[in-house]
Amino acid sequence: ATNGGVWINSAATTPVTLGSIVTAGGPAVITGQGDLLVESAATGNGALTITGQGNVLVDSINAGTGTVTLNSTTGAVHDAISGGSSSSQPNVVAGTVTVSSATDSGNSSDALWVNASTINADANNGGVWINSAATTATLASITAGNGPVVINGTGSLVATSVTTTNNPITISGQGNVLVDSINAGTGDVTLSSATGAVQDGISGGSSITQPNVVGGTVTVNSGTNSGNSSDALWVNASTINADASNGGVWINSAATTPVTVPLVMFRLSSG
């Protein structure tokens, strides 16, 4: 569509390939009754919405700074790139990306690669596996109903809201990892920053009634600091591990039951 949008409903119940969907800034809305394979979709900075009753498989979607919404009503949203997607060849480029699936969003052996400043994901009866290629990505709302959440970032990550139903949560960033609210119930939580810090991201600071992390076992690994001297991380967990490679550890426990601290490490390089 040179000067407008694209609205197409597919009546096929067998898999349908979206070979090339292009707008010059207008929206694109595609709905299918079966599986949808998105080979190429580009909308300038227009919004893109793709909804399939079955699986939604994604090669390349580029909405510029626009919003991308991917929905699978009864199936999964998965990477479809031969050989797998990567930071240089992400499945989706957009300002905000929302992925909703009945089962899984990504999978344990082939995560979705997304380059967006804001990421939302909801897997009703499965898990979420997403890799971020953005310099900074905000995990605005990530929910897994019956599986883990695994998010890896090549830059910094802001975990605004990440939730599972007693399943593991793993969030790893090359840069800083800022944490508002992570709740894994009794599941384990692992937070890692390869070169930066893992810090409280709550405006006004976290507290005993508003902890950064709820989990069974919480592990915090940082390249510099885990928490800081003026704003400790609040954690509600039965077991806490922390490792600050080149800094310190500041953690407050919100648990009222006994807490096991099997490992706390910090290492300072000599100058």
Side-chain angles (χ1 to χ4, degrees):
T2 303
N3 194 29
V6 173
W7 292 265
I8 296 176
N9 292 335
S10 169
T13 56
T14 53
V16 173
T17 298
L18 308 178
S20 179
I21 306 294
V22 179
T23 74
V29 181
I30 311 293
T31 301
Q33 299 305 304
D35 293 350
L36 295 176
L37 168 59
V38 188
E39 287 190 342
S40 178
T43 60
N45 295 319
L48 173 68
T49 300
I50 295 177
T51 302
Q53 287 295 312
N55 297 322
V56 174
L57 309 177
V58 183
D59 276 21
S60 176
I61 293 174
N62 193 330
T65 59
T67 299
V68 171
T69 303
L70 305 175
N71 300 311
S72 171
T73 306
T74 64
V77 179
H78 280 163
D79 170 30
I81 296 176
S82 178
S85 52
S86 65
S87 59
S88 59
Q89 190 180 15
N91 301 104
V92 185
V93 176
T96 296
V97 172
T98 299
V99 182
S100 298
S101 62
T103 57
D104 294 329
S105 297
N107 63 58
S108 58
S109 61
D110 189 9
L112 291 168
W113 272 96
V114 172
N115 192 336
S117 57
T118 302
I119 301 172
N120 302 290
D122 182 4
N124 288 335
N125 194 33
V128 174
W129 293 265
I130 292 177
N131 293 337
S132 167
T135 302
T136 300
T138 297
L139 311 177
S141 178
I142 309 290
T143 304
N146 190 29
V149 168
V150 180
I151 310 290
N152 294 302
T154 59
S156 297
L157 296 172
V158 180
T160 302
S161 178
V162 182
T163 305
T164 65
T165 305
N166 300 322
N167 282 297
I169 295 174
T170 301
I171 297 176
S172 301
Q174 288 295 309
N176 295 325
V177 174
L178 305 181
V179 183
D180 281 22
S181 176
I182 294 175
N183 192 331
T186 59
D188 295 340
V189 175
T190 302
L191 306 175
S192 302
S193 169
T195 64
V198 178
Q199 304 276 25
D200 173 24
I202 297 176
S203 177
S206 53
S207 65
I208 191 171
T209 57
Q210 191 180 14
N212 303 104
V213 186
V214 176
T217 295
V218 172
T219 300
V220 182
N221 300 315
S222 61
T224 57
N225 293 324
S226 298
N228 64 57
S229 59
S230 60
D231 189 7
L233 291 168
W234 273 96
V235 172
N236 192 337
S238 58
T239 303
I240 300 173
N241 302 292
D243 183 356
S245 297
N246 194 31
V249 174
W250 293 265
I251 293 177
N252 293 337
S253 171
T256 55
T257 53
V259 175
T260 300
V261 185
L263 177 66
V264 175
M265 296 181 66
F266 63 94
R267 297 180 293 278
L268 292 174
S269 60
S270 58

